[in-house]
Amino acid sequence: MLRRDDWLDLARKLDWTYSYVDERELFPEEISGRPWLPGEEWRDWDEPYRTGFAEYVTNQSAKEAAVHAVRDALGGIDDFARLDRSWLSAHKLHAATLPLAEFAAVIGNLRAGRFGRDSAWRQTAVLGALDELRHTQIPLLLMHELVRWDRQFDWTHRFLHSDDWVAIAARHLIDELLLASTPIEFAIATHFVFETGFTNLQFIGLAATAHGVGDRLFEKVVQSIQTDEARHAQIGTPVLQKVLAHDRELGQYLIDKWFWRSWHFFAVVTGFAMDYLTPLARRTASFKEFVEEWILEQFQRRCDELGLARPWYWDQFVAAVDTYHHMVYASAYTYRATVWFDLALPGPDERAWLAAKYPRSWPAIDPVWERLTERWREAGPDVEWYTHGVTPVAFCDLCQMVLCGGTPEHNTAEVVARDGRKYVFCSAPCRWIFEREPERYAAHEGIVQRILTGQAPANLVALLRRYFGLDEEVWGKDVTGGRYPWLRRRETP
Amino acid sequence: MTPLYGFVQGDTLGLVVVVDERATIAEVVAMLVEAASMRVAPRPDLRLRWRDRVLDPDLTVAAAGLEALDRVDVIAAAGEG
C-alpha cells in the first residue's frame, strides 16, 4: 500500500492538459484574476496543510462533535442569562456580522474552487468553502435557541437582509471582498489580509477575553473555527508570492487596499467588544495592545518576509489605532437605536482604564463621555432620547461607515466632486481606494443619498422603523437604561 | 434647501444638516451645535469654517456661497485661521 505522501499529489495536483478549449477560455482573466499567467507558471503552487478529503471529513466530524457537546452543556438560555449584559451585546454584534458573511465566503471559495489556477489551490478552496458553510451554520444554530428569550438575537440572521446602516456598510465590504473578487484578489484580500492579518484578533484575543468573562461557549466556538481558518488561510501566501513575482505593484496595491478596509471592520467588531463591552474586571488587554501584538508586529513581519512595503498610510493607521474605534463607539452610543444591540456607558473606572491604555488620545475623547454622563444625570433612568442624536449622520462613500476619522479636534473627512456628484470620505485611504477603482464604487448610494432622493425617510424614528427594520423592543438602548450604581441623579436642594 | 456635512469641534462624527439658503451662518452654527449637544457641551463664540475661511455670522447661506454637500466646521473663535 502506498504511503500517504506517495499518492496524495496524484489526486491533489491533477491538472489536465486542455485540448478542446484554450486555457484562456477555461480560466478567463475577468473571472480567474490578474495577472493572467499560463498554467505551468502555477504548477509549483503549494500550501503546507496538504489535506485530503477523507482526512478533512474525519477531522471536521470530530470538531463538530466537540462543538455540539459544548452546546449541549453550555448553550442553553440559562447559561446566557448568567453572562454580563454588556458582554451579551458583544455576542449580538458578532452573531449578526458573522454567519451570513461566512456564507458569502462559501461563494468566494467555490469560485476559487473552479477558477483558481492550480488543482491543489482549487481543492484547498473547496475545503475552505465547506469550512465557511460550517461557520455559517454554527452561529445560526446556537443563536436560534436564544431568539425566544431576546429578540435582538434574531438579527443573527436578519442583519444582512436589512437596510440598517451597519448592514449596508458590512455588505459593501463583504460583497466586494467575498462575492465580487476574482480568486486571486480573494486569496490576497481574504486569506492573506483578513484571515491571516486580522482574525487572530478574534480567535486569540477575543477568545481569551471570552474565557475571562466565563463564556466558554463563545471561546470554544471561535477556537473551533480558528482551526479551519488556519488551514484555508494558507492559500493566501503562495498566491501573493506568485502575484508579487509577476506584478509587484498589483500585489502591493491589493495589500494596501484590503488592509485598510479590513481594519475598519475589525476596529468596530473587535474594538467595541474589547474596550467597551467586556466587563472591566475581565479585560486582559486593550484593543490597541492586541492590535500592536497581532498586527503591528506579526503582520508587518510577514510583509517584510515577502518584501512588501508598509502601506503608504501606515502612520495614519498607527494613529487610528489610538482613536478610530473610540470615535465610532461614542457615535454609536449616541445613535444606539439605529443598531440591534445595546451599548454601555463607560463609568469612572472604565474611563480611568481607557485613559491609562490610551494616554495620547483619551483626553480628547473623555469630554464626550463626561457630557453624556451629565445628560444622564439630568434626565434620570430610562430617558434614552436625552443622550441620543436625532440629526442624520454622514457616511463615507467608500467604507459606508460613519465619518469618524481623525480626532474630535480634527475630523479627517474629505469632500470630493466627481462627475457632477459630491462624494465624502472618512479618510485619505478611503478616498485613495475609491479613486483607484471609481467604476467599482461610484454608483453606490449611501444612506444620505437615499434620504435626499426620497428613498429613505429623513425622520429618525421613521428611518428606524420603516427602513432599518427595527422596532422599540429590538433597537439598541443603554444596557442598564442609565441605572449605573455610580450614576446618581443630583438631588435638587 | 441646502444639505451640508457639518463637523463640530470636539465631536466624534460628521452630521448632515439641511439648511435654508436664507438662514444666517449664525443659525447654521446653532443648528449644528444643537445637533451635537448630547456629546459636546455648547460654548460661546463659535464660528463656521468653510474651505479654510471663517464666515461672517451675519451672512446668509446663499450669500456665503455654500453649496450642497459642502463640508463646514464649527470651531471655537480662538481656533480661527
Side-chain angles (χ1 to χ4, degrees):
Chain A
M1 187 173 172
L2 290 173
R3 288 173 303 163
R4 176 188 184 277
D5 281 350
D6 291 333
W7 61 260
L8 183 64
D9 282 341
L10 288 175
R12 189 170 160 273
K13 296 287 282 186
L14 187 66
D15 279 290
W16 303 101
T17 301
Y18 315 113
S19 55
Y20 292 98
V21 291
D22 180 73
E23 196 179 10
R24 278 189 176 272
E25 292 178 87
L26 198 56
F27 297 103
E29 182 174 318
E30 59 267 30
I31 303 179
S32 283
R34 64 186 178 98
W36 196 93
L37 304 170
E40 54 265 29
E41 287 285 343
W42 292 97
R43 287 303 150 284
D44 59 349
W45 191 97
D46 210 350
E47 49 81 26
Y49 275 72
R50 295 164 53 80
T51 306
F53 187 69
E55 295 162 331
Y56 180 83
V57 171
T58 303
N59 291 339
Q60 297 304 97
S61 176
K63 283 195 246 175
E64 283 298 282
V67 167
H68 279 277
V70 174
R71 182 212 178 201
D72 290 344
L74 302 167
I77 290 173
D78 291 347
D79 299 297
F80 278 86
R82 277 194 287 271
L83 295 172
D84 180 272
R85 288 201 56 183
S86 297
W87 178 254
L88 279 177
S89 286
H91 247 291
K92 292 166 185 170
L93 173 58
H94 281 83
T97 47
L98 187 67
L100 296 198
E102 299 279 8
F103 188 70
V106 173
I107 295 167
N109 272 290
L110 287 177
R111 184 179 291 113
R114 163 61 181 86
F115 291 100
R117 298 301 312 282
D118 177 77
S119 59
W121 173 5
R122 292 194 291 272
Q123 182 190 309
T124 310
V126 169
L127 301 185
L130 295 172
D131 290 339
E132 304 295 13
L133 193 56
R134 177 173 182 257
H135 306 168
T136 306
Q137 292 171 331
I138 289 172
L140 291 176
L141 173 73
L142 297 177
M143 299 301 132
H144 182 259
E145 171 77 6
L146 305 178
V147 174
R148 61 194 168 94
W149 172 57
D150 183 339
R151 278 187 55 218
Q152 289 182 329
F153 280 107
D154 192 32
W155 277 60
T156 303
H157 188 266
R158 187 172 183 174
F159 168 66
L160 277 177
H161 294 298
S162 80
D163 277 327
D164 184 274
W165 69 272
V166 188
I168 290 172
R171 279 201 300 269
H172 195 276
L173 171 74
I174 290 163
D175 286 2
E176 184 181 11
L177 177 70
L178 306 173
L179 299 178
S181 289
T182 66
I184 288 177
E185 184 162 357
F186 180 81
I188 295 172
T190 306
H191 297 314
F192 187 81
V193 178
F194 200 86
E195 293 174 343
T196 307
F198 280 91
T199 53
N200 279 332
L201 281 175
Q202 296 280 115
F203 295 132
I204 295 171
L206 207 60
T209 306
H211 180 84
V213 171
D215 188 352
R216 296 291 188 273
L217 184 69
F218 191 99
E219 177 192 0
K220 296 299 178 192
V221 165
V222 295
Q223 284 174 344
S224 183
I225 289 176
Q226 192 271 341
T227 58
D228 296 343
E229 300 279 336
R231 173 175 22 76
H232 66 237
Q234 300 297 326
I235 294 171
T237 299
V239 174
L240 176 59
Q241 285 173 315
K242 194 64 73 178
V243 170
L244 290 173
H246 291 86
D247 190 341
R248 176 159 289 276
E249 194 276 334
L250 174 64
Q252 182 74 54
Y253 165 66
L254 293 175
I255 293 290
D256 293 0
K257 167 185 172 182
W258 286 106
F259 186 87
W260 187 256
R261 297 214 68 185
S262 303
W263 152 245
H264 273 189
F265 177 85
F266 284 98
V268 172
V269 174
T270 320
F272 279 22
M274 287 182 171
D275 280 356
Y276 291 95
L277 300 176
T278 299
L280 182 60
R282 305 298 183 189
R283 292 180 198 172
T284 53
S286 69
F287 174 64
K288 179 185 172 184
E289 287 166 334
F290 277 114
V291 170
E292 285 176 340
E293 180 175 356
W294 291 101
I295 299 178
L296 265 64
E297 292 176 23
Q298 300 209 19
F299 185 70
Q300 197 176 312
R301 189 182 317 130
R302 194 78 194 95
C303 289
D304 289 345
E305 288 166 3
L306 292 166
L308 286 159
R310 289 177 182 180
W312 61 268
Y313 50 75
W314 192 255
D315 291 346
Q316 291 175 59
F317 163 66
V318 172
V321 173
D322 250 325
T323 58
Y324 181 67
H325 68 298
H326 297 311
M327 298 275 283
V328 181
Y329 187 84
S331 305
Y333 182 85
T334 53
Y335 282 90
R336 53 196 176 277
T338 67
V339 297
W340 65 98
F341 56 95
D342 300 332
L343 287 97
L345 179 76
D349 293 342
E350 280 107 345
R351 283 162 56 187
W353 184 85
L354 289 161
K357 296 293 185 183
Y358 297 88
R360 271 183 299 178
S361 59
W362 193 255
I365 305 281
D366 195 64
V368 171
W369 294 111
E370 185 60 32
R371 174 73 175 164
L372 284 162
T373 301
E374 284 304 310
R375 298 272 286 197
W376 269 114
R377 282 207 177 99
E378 285 177 38
D382 296 327
V383 188
E384 295 274 347
W385 292 101
Y386 199 56
T387 52
H388 199 288
V390 293
T391 302
V393 305
F395 298 90
C396 175
D397 276 312
L398 190 279
C399 69
Q400 310 299 320
M401 291 291 293
V402 184
L403 298 179
C404 291
T407 66
E409 287 304 300
H410 175 65
N411 190 299
T412 53
E414 301 179 22
V415 175
V416 178
R418 178 188 176 86
D419 297 332
R421 178 178 158 183
K422 278 187 180 155
Y423 295 89
V424 65
F425 303 102
C426 68
S427 59
C430 276
R431 176 181 175 177
W432 174 77
I433 292 166
F434 182 98
E435 290 180 339
R436 282 288 300 248
E437 298 177 271
E439 70 284 356
R440 200 165 201 179
Y441 307 114
H444 186 271
E445 290 185 326
I447 291 281
V448 172
Q449 283 75 32
R450 297 178 199 201
I451 290 174
L452 294 176
T453 55
Q455 299 172 64
N459 175 276
L460 183 66
V461 175
L463 186 72
L464 302 184
R465 289 182 189 280
R466 288 176 16 215
Y467 204 74
F468 289 180
L470 294 157
D471 59 50
E472 193 166 355
E473 182 187 343
V474 171
W475 67 45
K477 302 164 191 71
D478 182 275
V479 287
T480 70
R483 288 185 172 75
Y484 297 91
W486 48 266
L487 185 67
R488 293 277 185 268
R489 192 172 184 174
R490 288 205 182 106
E491 298 300 325
T492 308
Chain B
M1 301 295 277
T2 305
L4 298 169
Y5 292 119
F7 297 84
V8 177
Q9 196 171 39
D11 202 2
T12 53
L13 78 165
L15 301 166
V16 180
V17 288
V18 181
V19 299
D20 192 312
E21 287 84 352
R22 294 164 298 183
T24 64
I25 295 302
E27 289 169 333
V28 175
V29 169
M31 186 183 286
L32 279 165
V33 167
E34 173 59 26
S37 62
M38 74 295 306
R39 292 176 301 276
V40 184
R43 290 177 289 183
D45 209 13
L46 294 168
R47 295 284 186 268
L48 199 70
R49 187 172 61 205
W50 172 66
R51 297 180 185 171
D52 295 327
R53 288 165 46 200
V54 176
L55 299 177
D56 181 342
D58 296 326
L59 280 178
T60 63
V61 167
L66 298 184
E67 295 172 359
L69 299 178
D70 275 351
R71 172 180 175 154
V72 293
D73 286 76
V74 175
I75 58 170
E80 291 178 19

